[in-house]
Amino acid sequence: MARRLAEVAKKVGVSEATVSRVLNDKPGVSAATRAAVLTALDVLGYERPTQLRGERARLVGLVLPELGNPIFPALAEVVGGALAQRGFTPVLCTLTPGGLSEADYVEMLLQQQASGVIFAGGLYAEADAVHDHYHRLLDVRLPVVLVNAAADRLDFPQVSTDDAVAAEQAFGHLLSLGHERIGVVLGPEDHVPCRRKLAAVRAAAERAGVDLPGSRIRRAMFSLEGGQAVTGRLIRDGVTGVICASDPLALGVIRAVRRLGMSVPGDVSVVGYDDSAFMNCVDPPLTTVRQPIESIGRAAVTLLVNQVEGGSVTAEELLYEPELVVRASTAPSAPSAPSAPSRVPA
């Protein structure tokens, strides 16, 4: 019993005495705190006292595209903790090959009478994807928050990292190191955050009088393998610096550069995006643009809870400032561009 009190108190951020009052159905505890304690019991796997078992915890779906990219588990930790503190039970819905789709998860959450849904990195960010399940959520007026930029006509509250600022920071950093032959590795062409990044890089290049031909803009899957696959052509074009739309893409670029007998940052400097876990531990430690995951996650929860409780939410997209984190994968440009090895694919 003492261990249960201590674990629940730590999870919620209240005293053990407060937890005891809730479990014994005593007065003197706010409704929000009481709900948070009961939710923590459910999350930690403890049975509720008999007199409290009739109360169902409120469910909120957190829909993520994967857990392989460390940025998504980090977001899930922030959002899950913030939801529990507000008296909601987070339900993690992760997409896997051959598993449930976003539309399937939406149906499940509606059947479970969920209080709301937070999406991150979903199909809403792809302009050409099927968005029928989002429109259904709009029709039933279920509280929803989208993390990062969405396609047009999806009028949900959004919390985003400022992609334009992130791209400008990465480009400006490489330019300050003397790089002028800069390549960009992005996700799919219809991906809205990547569109914003590319527009910002092009504008920054134009202001700086630096060429950015189409041959230096490559599209790939958001994965290490995707980044590796498109690097050869960038090296053929003589790039000395590469801006990537995610950290896994950047790691793929680094792998490809090394397999071509070149070095990072000696021959090619690489900048990632996210500052996900362990990017300071890779070789070389990755220069990247950090997303403010803590602030974004908590803001998403606040916007969702405000909707659930009937409060007003802003119709404008909330943009959070990213931070350039300089490590060892970038260095001053060599006097001349590296010559591409003969085995670089055409």
Side-chain angles (χ1 to χ4, degrees), residues 48-268:
R48 297 187 182 194
T50 304
Q51 70 273 20
L52 300 176
R53 287 178 189 170
E55 299 184 21
R56 294 183 58 190
R58 295 175 291 176
L59 304 178
V60 171
L62 174 58
V63 184
L64 301 177
E66 58 165 316
L67 293 178
N69 184 338
I71 201 67
F72 292 116
L75 178 66
E77 183 178 4
V78 173
V79 170
L83 284 170
Q85 288 182 343
R86 302 291 291 269
F88 292 86
T89 299
V91 179
L92 183 59
C93 305
T94 307
L95 306 182
T96 56
L100 297 181
S101 67
E102 274 192 0
D104 292 332
Y105 277 124
V106 166
E107 286 301 318
M108 180 192 76
L109 292 168
L110 288 173
Q111 289 174 10
Q112 294 295 322
Q113 297 183 324
S115 296
V117 188
I118 296 175
F119 291 91
L123 294 175
Y124 61 85
E126 299 175 18
D128 297 337
V130 175
H131 294 152
D132 291 350
H133 54 293
Y134 296 116
H135 291 296
R136 182 170 183 206
L137 291 172
L138 284 169
D139 291 340
V140 300
R141 299 183 181 276
L142 189 73
V144 171
V145 176
L146 307 180
V147 176
N148 283 341
D152 293 337
R153 296 182 298 280
L154 292 177
D155 298 323
F156 297 111
Q158 297 173 42
V159 185
S160 307
T161 300
D162 195 322
D163 293 302
V165 171
E168 291 166 359
Q169 289 177 344
F171 184 86
H173 174 61
L174 290 178
L175 197 65
S176 72
L177 294 173
H179 296 277
E180 294 189 352
R181 299 182 69 86
I182 296 173
V184 185
V185 178
L186 302 167
E189 189 171 357
D190 70 331
H191 189 250
V192 177
C194 285
R195 286 182 175 180
R196 292 180 174 185
K197 290 182 177 73
L198 180 57
V201 169
R202 281 175 165 160
E206 184 176 355
R207 290 194 299 269
V210 173
D211 284 339
L212 185 63
S215 60
R216 296 185 199 155
I217 300 168
R218 311 307 304 179
R219 304 279 182 178
M221 293 175 58
F222 279 109
S223 65
L224 187 151
E225 292 77 14
Q228 180 180 347
V230 301
T231 300
R233 295 193 179 188
L234 291 175
I235 300 302
R236 277 180 58 84
D237 202 24
V239 301
T240 64
V242 182
I243 298 170
C244 300
S246 75
D247 289 341
L249 283 173
L251 296 182
V253 171
I254 291 173
R255 175 192 281 182
V257 169
R258 284 179 168 168
R259 291 189 176 180
L260 292 170
M262 303 165 69
S263 71
V264 174
D267 297 309
V268 180

Side-chain angles (χ1 to χ4, degrees), residues 271-293:
V271 182
Y273 178 76
D274 284 338
D275 195 29
S276 46
F278 309 119
M279 291 305 103
N280 61 330
C281 301
V282 298
D283 182 24
L286 184 66
T287 294
T288 187
V289 180
R290 175 182 295 160
Q291 291 204 67
I293 291 299

